Amino acid sequence: GGGARGPRARSGLRRTMRNMLRAVLLCLVIALAAAAAAAAATDSVEVQVEVDEFAGLDDYVAAPAADDPAADPTPPRPPSPPASPRDPLRGFRGLPRTWEEAVRRFWPDALALLFVLIYGAVFYHGRGNNRLIAQAWMVGLVEFLQSQFAEIRPAYAGKEWDGGGLLCPVSPHEFSSFLSGRRNCSGAALSLTLRHRQDLFGALLSPLLSPLVPLGPRHDTASFEIVLPETLDLPLVLCVCQARDAQAVRGQLEDVRRFTGVLSFPRLGPELAVMAETPDAANGVIQGPVLQALKSMGDLLDVLHITDQYNGPVLGFSKAPRKVLRMVVRLPMPWGNNVDAMMRAS
């Protein structure tokens, strides 16, 4: 019994000592806080007494007598009272009083504000211009697209767009739509990639640095990606592009680089380059209406790519298709009669 009570007694003693130590520390903290408050109150009282009772005493003592001939006839100017801590004009006493002083002190802030205003104006103006271009392009082709496809719905990254219109604004310079309902076609993705008119840096630096560092697309382009059915017999890789861009296109498209070579195709002229596996494959595709459409496009055609080895995603398809017809054309600006050429190529 005694052995059991011993540990409990020692434990109770330690707990009591801890409580006493906490009480002592709490008393010390309270005493220090009270001393600090008393000192602050004493300082404030001393300052108040000095300001209220002795303000202007030196001027009164130093003032000369009235009959002193050397005395100044003008009375001494009373000292200005100290500013109150709650003076409502206290924060405005340091403001400049002239335009010259304001320009000298705040010209960096003015330049920063001017830059922000210019950047915002360029952004909203450029975004609005891109939307107008996309809408005008869609209005010019909507009748033709409706005659070729049963459904046109705006979409982006596999999601539906409920903001109205036939084009989904993916970004201030990108617009997309999905087309479906046609034989020998599983679906088509339509994308517009416009110049970065909303970007102030791109508008200023693109003409200077675009030959060295691309800051965005140099032309407004429309891309058609038509997914062909897997049951379609299409053992073919073919590409048509501008002759000056042939090497760059071959570097971008792996299947064109692996399976094709640059062919001589006089019927299209020297401006366009044809790359196919064999001349017979090129002659079998580029004939009749296709040949006339390519001729009518001229410089508006960027690339026409037909392949059964496609390795990229297509808007509206969860699984990457293999058989794709892809065409990229430049938007004619101004419109004029070039819309007819785009419709024939589409």
Side-chain angles (χ1 to χ4, degrees), residues 43-124:
D43 294 340
S44 62
V45 171
E46 291 176 359
V47 171
Q48 184 67 26
V49 170
E50 179 182 357
V51 171
D52 294 342
E53 296 186 5
F54 299 99
L57 182 60
D58 295 338
D59 295 336
Y60 177 81
V61 174
D67 54 352
D68 189 356
D72 190 357
T74 60
R77 184 177 181 180
S80 59
S84 174
R86 296 184 179 181
D87 186 2
L89 300 179
R90 184 179 183 183
F92 297 93
R93 297 187 185 278
L95 293 179
R97 300 182 180 274
T98 61
W99 283 106
E100 292 78 6
E101 184 181 357
V103 171
R104 185 174 63 255
R105 291 178 56 183
F106 298 108
W107 68 266
D109 307 82
L111 287 180
L113 178 60
L114 180 62
F115 174 79
V116 171
L117 294 177
I118 294 176
Y119 190 91
V122 170
F123 177 84
Y124 284 103

Side-chain angles (χ1 to χ4, degrees), residues 114-159:
L114 180 62
F115 174 79
V116 171
L117 294 177
I118 294 176
Y119 190 91
V122 170
F123 177 84
Y124 284 103
H125 182 71
R127 184 180 64 174
N129 282 345
N130 280 343
R131 288 184 176 179
L132 290 177
I133 293 173
Q135 293 173 1
W137 183 86
M138 198 64 180
V139 168
L141 287 184
V142 63
E143 184 177 354
F144 170 75
L145 294 176
Q146 288 176 347
S147 66
Q148 299 296 316
F149 296 92
E151 184 181 11
I152 304 175
R153 63 178 186 269
Y156 66 100
K159 300 180 180 180

Side-chain angles (χ1 to χ4, degrees), residues 291-314:
L291 179 62
Q292 296 302 322
L294 292 177
K295 285 183 177 180
S296 65
M297 292 294 292
D299 291 339
L300 295 179
L301 176 68
D302 266 8
V303 61
L304 171 65
H305 183 207
I306 306 174
T307 180
D308 61 344
Q309 302 292 324
Y310 197 75
N311 57 359
V314 177

Side-chain angles (χ1 to χ4, degrees), residues 236-239 250 253-263 274-278 305-306:
L236 175 68
V237 177
L238 182 141
C239 182
R250 291 182 64 84
L253 303 177
E254 182 181 358
D255 57 336
V256 174
R257 184 174 63 253
R258 290 179 55 189
F259 301 109
T260 70
V262 180
L263 305 178
V274 178
M275 292 170 279
E277 299 176 87
T278 61
H305 183 207
I306 306 174

